[in-house]
Amino acid sequence: MELKLEYDPSRIIPVPYEQRTLDGHTDWAHRTAVDFVQAAELHADVTARIEDALTTLAGEADDDRRVALVVGMDGAVVAPLIIAASLRELPRQEQADFLWSNTAILPATPRLTETDGFGVGFSATLAQREHGYDFATRRWIFFGEGMTVCAMLGPVVPYGMAFVEPFAESLLVASSLEGFVPKQDRTRVDELVSAVVRPGDDWQL
C-alpha cells in the first residue's frame, strides 16, 4: 500500500518496515538516534530515550501500517505515531472501538482535521489510566470511498501531548495514500463530533 508520508525530519523519525532480527532492530535504533540527535542539535542526554523508543517500535511497521516516532522540541517528550490503512470502509462498531477506550478517565476531546490527501477527519484525544498509570492518546479517522485511514499518537504522558501532537497532525495534513478518495459527505464526521459532549459544551452562555 503506497502511503506517502510528508514530515519535518527534525521532529519525525519514520520506522522502516523491512524485516530485521532483534539485533538488527537494536543496531538500527542506536545509529538512527545518534544521527537524529546530532542533526536536530539536541542535547546528547536525550539519545538514550529516543533509542529506547525506536527499538520498541522497530518491529511494528508493515505493508499496511506505517510507524514513526514524534520528538518534541527539546527531545524530552517522544511518542509513537501509527498510521493504518484499510481497503474497506470500517463499520460503525469498529470505528467506535478504535476511537474510544474503556480506560478513559475523562470525556474525549473531539476535533476536526482538514488534510490535503485524506479530506476532513475526526479525532478524539483521550486521557486514560491503565494499571495505575495515566497517559494520553489522540486518534484520527479519515473516511474514503471504500477505504479508511486511522492514526494514533501515543501513549504519552498527559502533559506531553501538547509537545508532540502539532508535528503529528502536520504529517497527517500533508501525507497521502495512493487511491484514497475522501468522502464528500461529512455526515459521519458530524455525527462523531455530536456524539462527544464535554462538560460545559452545552452550557448556554
Side-chain angles (χ1 to χ4, degrees):
M1 190 170 293
E2 196 61 36
L3 184 58
K4 184 179 180 182
L5 303 184
E6 299 288 346
Y7 57 89
D8 179 352
S10 68
R11 300 274 67 91
I12 304 285
I13 305 175
V15 179
Y17 55 95
E18 293 85 354
Q19 294 295 321
R20 293 189 183 90
T21 63
L22 182 59
D23 287 343
H25 289 161
T26 302
D27 291 344
W28 171 81
H30 176 71
R31 293 194 311 272
T32 302
V34 170
D35 291 346
F36 178 85
V37 167
Q38 291 177 347
E41 299 182 343
L42 299 177
H43 196 285
D45 288 353
V46 304
T47 305
R49 178 182 299 113
I50 294 172
E51 180 179 342
D52 289 346
L54 289 175
T55 300
T56 301
L57 294 175
E60 295 294 319
D62 57 34
D63 286 342
D64 296 327
R65 179 171 62 174
R66 296 292 182 268
V67 178
L69 184 69
V70 185
V71 182
M73 290 299 294
D74 60 359
V77 177
V78 299
L81 174 65
I82 298 177
I83 306 169
S86 173
L87 293 175
R88 63 189 179 97
E89 297 182 19
L90 298 184
R92 289 175 177 242
Q93 186 57 54
E94 290 187 35
Q95 295 171 23
D97 290 344
F98 171 71
L99 289 170
W100 322 123
S101 171
N102 59 11
T103 65
I105 56 177
L106 292 172
T109 301
R111 298 181 193 173
L112 296 183
T113 299
E114 296 193 16
T115 73
D116 298 333
F118 304 134
V120 178
F122 172 84
S123 81
T125 303
L126 303 181
Q128 297 172 245
R129 178 175 295 149
E130 292 184 11
H131 309 297
Y133 292 97
D134 291 349
F135 60 92
T137 59
R138 185 173 176 189
R139 299 122 187 269
W140 291 263
I141 188 167
F142 300 94
F143 302 100
E145 299 292 344
M147 305 175 79
T148 309
V149 169
C150 298
M152 185 168 78
L153 176 66
V156 63
V157 290
Y159 75 84
M161 179 60 73
F163 295 97
V164 292
E165 66 179 351
F167 307 117
E169 187 154 61
S170 293
L171 179 151
L172 292 170
V173 166
S175 296
S176 61
L177 173 66
E178 183 178 5
F180 188 94
V181 178
K183 279 185 172 294
Q184 297 304 306
D185 184 355
R186 288 181 43 170
T187 300
R188 182 54 178 156
V189 172
D190 293 337
E191 287 176 347
L192 288 169
V193 172
S194 298
V196 182
V197 178
R198 295 171 295 163
D201 283 354
D202 55 352
W203 294 354
Q204 297 299 315
L205 301 178

